Amino acid sequence: MSEQTKKFKEDASFSIADELGGLELLQAKYKRQNFSRHSHEGYTIGVIEKGAQRFYRTGGNHVAPKDHIILVNADEVHTGHSATEGGWEYRAMYPLPEQFAAMTEGLGPHPSVPYFPEPVVHDPDVAQQLRLVFSTLENSDNRLLRETLVYGALVKLMARHSKTRNEFEPRTRSQKQVMLVKTFLDDFPQADVSLEELAKLAGYSPYYLVRAFQKEFGLPPHAYQIQSRLRYAKKLLKAGHSISDAAQEAGFHDQSHFHRHFKRAMGITPKQYTGSLI
């Protein structure tokens, strides 16, 4: 198989398929898991198999019942917990923006990076196609079949439910200034930087920066820094660093702090994550 899969205590299995240069996949069954506000560098595309999930995205709360598709854009703040007493079961993939761009190269004048305006869609045809993708990636070694199904499902999803991201690029001075702060936190996640220093970078007062940043990205700067550190730590873990070294290098000086934030954002622990990379 082209992905390594490991079963975890919390009925979650994480894997990485070779397609698109490494496509992260999650199959999970949760009852008490409560995802904190977090974001991923990749999109979240999930199909609810049982129960229902309640989650925050795009400034509001949404419920995704069985057979519906959850869509969260890259870098978009969201949460997740059960909407029913019995919990929920789902399968999800996390393609990166650059993977979408590479996949759609040649389909138009420019590679397409999608924006999904609706957090939940009911599209039985695409949902079934995504299920076939998940099943094939788990059970088949046929590279041609695997790649064909991945490309076909994601292109159809974009064609039916996305808009171009260019419509949502920052246009105002305020958006551009807080983007400078976001870029700094993305590029230097481990930096011990103060709010006052970030405010000077943006040309705002500290209080105004916190308000403007949260309005634009759904998290205040300190919470967004945690998300950037988690992403950096994941890269270090993929590169073979130990959990303790990755935590410290990413700016988590307390390993239990790293463990807690990782679990609340990913639904699995750092140890479970590294186990899937073996």
Side-chain angles (χ1 to χ4, degrees):
M1 294 293 290
S2 63
E3 67 266 6
Q4 301 296 323
T5 304
K6 186 179 177 69
K7 294 293 181 182
F8 305 128
K9 294 179 182 177
E10 297 167 293
D11 295 323
S13 61
F14 176 86
S15 59
I16 300 178
D18 290 340
E19 282 64 34
L20 297 174
L23 181 61
E24 293 189 350
L25 307 166
L26 180 69
Q27 179 176 5
K29 183 188 298 182
Y30 293 124
K31 286 188 177 180
R32 293 175 295 277
Q33 173 68 24
N34 190 355
F35 290 94
S36 60
R37 284 201 177 197
H38 67 284
S39 62
H40 302 288
E41 56 187 331
Y43 294 78
T44 299
I45 299 170
V47 179
I48 302 297
E49 303 286 55
K50 293 181 181 178
Q53 180 183 0
R54 185 183 302 276
F55 66 103
Y56 168 92
R57 199 213 99 170
T58 321
N61 292 305
H62 313 276
V63 174
K66 182 181 177 181
D67 297 329
H68 285 59
I69 301 171
I70 289 176
L71 297 171
V72 180
N73 298 293
D75 277 336
E76 195 165 38
V77 173
H78 59 289
T79 61
H81 59 91
S82 180
T84 63
E85 281 190 19
W88 83 104
E89 185 175 341
Y90 71 108
R91 303 190 73 161
M93 64 172 68
Y94 304 90
L96 299 170
E98 52 266 34
Q99 291 175 325
F100 268 116
M103 185 177 61
T104 58
E105 192 170 2
L107 295 181
H110 304 289
S112 178
V113 178
Y115 178 88
F116 296 104
E118 295 299 325
V120 180
V121 297
H122 184 228
D123 188 330
D125 183 30
V126 175
Q128 186 57 34
Q129 198 164 346
L130 288 169
R131 286 192 180 97
L132 181 59
V133 169
F134 292 128
S135 176
T136 302
L137 292 178
E138 182 179 3
N139 299 303
S140 175
D141 290 325
N142 187 317
R143 292 172 57 194
L144 180 59
L145 174 63
R146 290 162 62 97
E147 291 182 6
T148 299
L149 292 177
V150 168
Y151 279 57
L154 292 182
V155 168
K156 180 177 283 189
L157 183 70
M158 282 193 295
R160 292 192 178 187
H161 301 291
S162 78
K163 296 182 178 180
T164 59
R165 175 169 262 188
N166 291 337
E167 299 175 39
F168 303 90
E169 287 298 319
R171 290 179 292 273
T172 69
R173 178 184 178 276
S174 177
Q175 289 171 315
K176 291 177 181 177
Q177 295 307 106
V178 294
M179 183 62 76
L180 289 176
V181 175
K182 176 182 180 296
T183 300
F184 178 86
L185 294 174
D186 285 337
D187 291 345
F188 305 100
Q190 72 278 39
D192 183 15
V193 62
S194 70
L195 177 61
E196 187 173 337
E197 289 167 336
L198 292 177
K200 287 180 179 178
L201 176 63
Y204 292 142
S205 71
Y207 175 72
Y208 186 84
L209 172 62
V210 171
R211 291 183 61 195
F213 195 97
Q214 178 149 357
K215 180 180 179 182
E216 188 64 28
F217 302 114
L219 291 171
H222 74 276
Y224 185 83
Q225 183 186 56
I226 290 174
Q227 301 306 309
S228 295
R229 288 178 171 179
L230 287 173
R231 295 177 189 179
Y232 184 44
K234 279 180 62 182
K235 291 179 181 178
L236 294 174
L237 293 175
K238 285 182 180 179
H241 290 252
S242 68
I243 293 174
S244 59
D245 286 348
Q248 186 168 7
E249 181 65 25
F252 293 98
H253 301 300
D254 182 344
Q255 191 169 329
S256 64
H257 189 228
F258 172 54
H259 181 283
R260 183 171 65 255
H261 281 293
F262 196 99
K263 177 68 165 59
R264 293 189 69 191
M266 293 288 295
I268 55 176
T269 66
K271 183 177 180 180
Q272 292 166 344
Y273 180 78
T274 56
S276 70
L277 303 175
I278 297 174

